[in-house]
Amino acid sequence: MKMIKVSNLVHSYLKYGKTEEDTISVKALDHVDMEIDKGEFIAIIGHNGSGKSTLAKHFNGLLFPAEGTVWINELPTSDHKNLGQIRRTVCMVFQNPDNQIIGATVEEDISFGLENMQIPREQMQDRIDRSLEAVRMTDKRQANPGSLSGGQKQKTAIAGAVAVSPECLVLDEATAMLDPKARREVIGIARELNEKQGITIILITHFMDEVAHADKIFVMDHGIVAESGTPEELFREPELLEKYRMELPPVTRLAYSLRKKGLPVRLPVMEPEDLAEQMERIYRGEQIC
Ligand SMILES: Nc1ncnc2c1ncn2[C@@H]1O[C@H](COP(=O)(O)OP(=O)(O)O)[C@@H](O)[C@H]1O
Ligand SMILES: [Mg+2]
């Protein structure tokens, strides 16, 4: 059974002009097919406007297919009877930390989400405890969300989602407004949720360094899935992603340039430590490729 299966999905938005004749339909998703297994760490990348958020909103029934079908654990999103179940299965965290928190305290915010999902009251405290622990925010339980940093707000939003016990968490550019340290922390938490709790993660981002550990990457371009593969497959040739206006991490490009200059660097390089180690071995005259 596929956790998420997307078949032939088309989504169009109406773009309103001054007159009815000026109003046009814009295809944001143009026959998308995709399959995601339970427990995978998936990254979806692509330039602005390529259709990533539109696709994400189909994963938990915030949008419905004009054509094609989206199944979550075999339940089609087009059937309204399935929506409660689907929204407990796939939870979303969005870009702007300020738009997602409504409670007067962190704890209250998480309990609102649980009430919305009709989680029994007697389970609430335990779920709040565990989700705050998972994002390392236990000490902020009674904090006023207004006093939190952007990173802490996103961690609260993640805790709110995790408390629902979803099988899948979609982070739609959830790190875009964070500083590098908070960004790393949020990505670290996503990896931990995936590895320790088996939660399927769908990470939508335009930071290439965040996708280095994904099991699989989908590259969106103009409403289609233009490429898919492991980070190793997609990061081997900078030209492959540059075609879609995506830029590789500096260390990946540097390794590629060194290789072009004739140094026997093993590609792709995703982490500075890997390149440093390879350079040391090359310097010592060891054979590495
Ligand atoms: N609510 C909307 N109304 C009209 N057009 C939209 C709306 N949301 C997105 N679009 C358009 O759909 C396309 C895909 O957008 P989106 O899914 O937000 O892409 P991404 O998340 O990759 O930046 C873009 O051309 C965008 O302008
Ligand atoms: Mg988006």
Side-chain angles (χ1 to χ4, degrees), residues 48-49 52-54 172-173 204:
N48 262 343
K52 305 181 299 296
S53 293
T54 304
D172 187 0
E173 309 250 14
I204 299 175

Side-chain angles (χ1 to χ4, degrees), residues 5-217:
K5 184 170 154 74
V6 176
S7 169
N8 222 9
L9 176 63
V10 175
H11 190 96
S12 301
Y13 293 106
L14 281 181
K15 203 168 182 177
Y16 294 98
K18 286 200 186 82
T19 64
E20 208 170 306
E21 291 84 66
D22 289 340
T23 299
I24 51 163
S25 159
V26 181
K27 229 178 226 178
L29 296 175
D30 191 2
H31 298 92
V32 169
D33 293 312
M34 188 176 280
E35 290 187 353
I36 293 172
D37 281 319
K38 189 170 163 56
E40 280 189 312
F41 193 117
I42 297 292
I44 302 180
I45 61 176
H47 57 79
N48 262 343
S50 56
K52 305 181 299 296
S53 293
T54 304
L55 179 62
K57 287 175 186 157
H58 277 273
F59 292 157
N60 79 338
L62 291 176
L63 292 175
F64 304 103
E67 250 181 74
T69 313
V70 177
W71 292 268
I72 307 300
N73 285 336
E74 296 186 338
L75 301 177
T77 59
S78 52
D79 185 343
H80 284 242
K81 283 200 304 292
N82 297 332
L83 284 184
Q85 174 76 26
I86 284 170
R87 289 183 183 152
R88 277 190 298 272
T89 306
V90 182
C91 286
M92 308 262 289
V93 176
F94 296 100
Q95 182 177 68
N96 190 339
D98 290 318
N99 294 348
Q100 302 184 68
I101 297 173
I102 45 172
T105 64
V106 165
E107 175 176 29
E108 189 182 88
D109 190 75
I110 298 172
S111 52
F112 279 156
L114 293 175
E115 279 164 21
N116 261 341
M117 294 291 174
Q118 288 152 17
I119 304 296
R121 281 216 150 259
E122 58 275 14
Q123 290 184 15
M124 280 199 186
Q125 285 311 318
D126 184 43
R127 284 184 181 233
I128 293 170
D129 287 346
R130 279 188 288 132
S131 63
L132 283 173
E133 226 166 83
V135 301
R136 294 184 274 283
M137 286 277 288
T138 305
D139 60 328
K140 296 288 181 204
R141 192 180 181 115
Q142 299 303 333
N144 173 349
S147 70
L148 300 178
S149 67
Q152 290 167 335
K153 284 178 188 163
Q154 283 304 60
K155 289 198 289 175
T156 303
I158 293 172
V162 168
V164 174
S165 277
E167 283 180 46
C168 176
L169 190 59
V170 181
L171 302 171
D172 187 0
E173 309 250 14
T175 60
M177 296 172 82
L178 307 183
D179 62 50
K181 185 164 168 276
R183 204 152 72 71
R184 276 195 296 275
E185 199 185 351
V186 166
I187 296 300
I189 286 167
R191 287 183 65 189
E192 224 174 87
L193 291 171
N194 178 250
E195 284 162 15
K196 291 196 183 149
Q197 301 193 27
I199 298 178
T200 308
I201 301 286
I202 301 179
L203 178 71
I204 299 175
T205 184
H206 59 263
F207 295 112
M208 290 303 102
D209 55 330
E210 294 180 355
V211 307
H213 300 284
D215 295 316
K216 191 170 183 189
I217 301 174

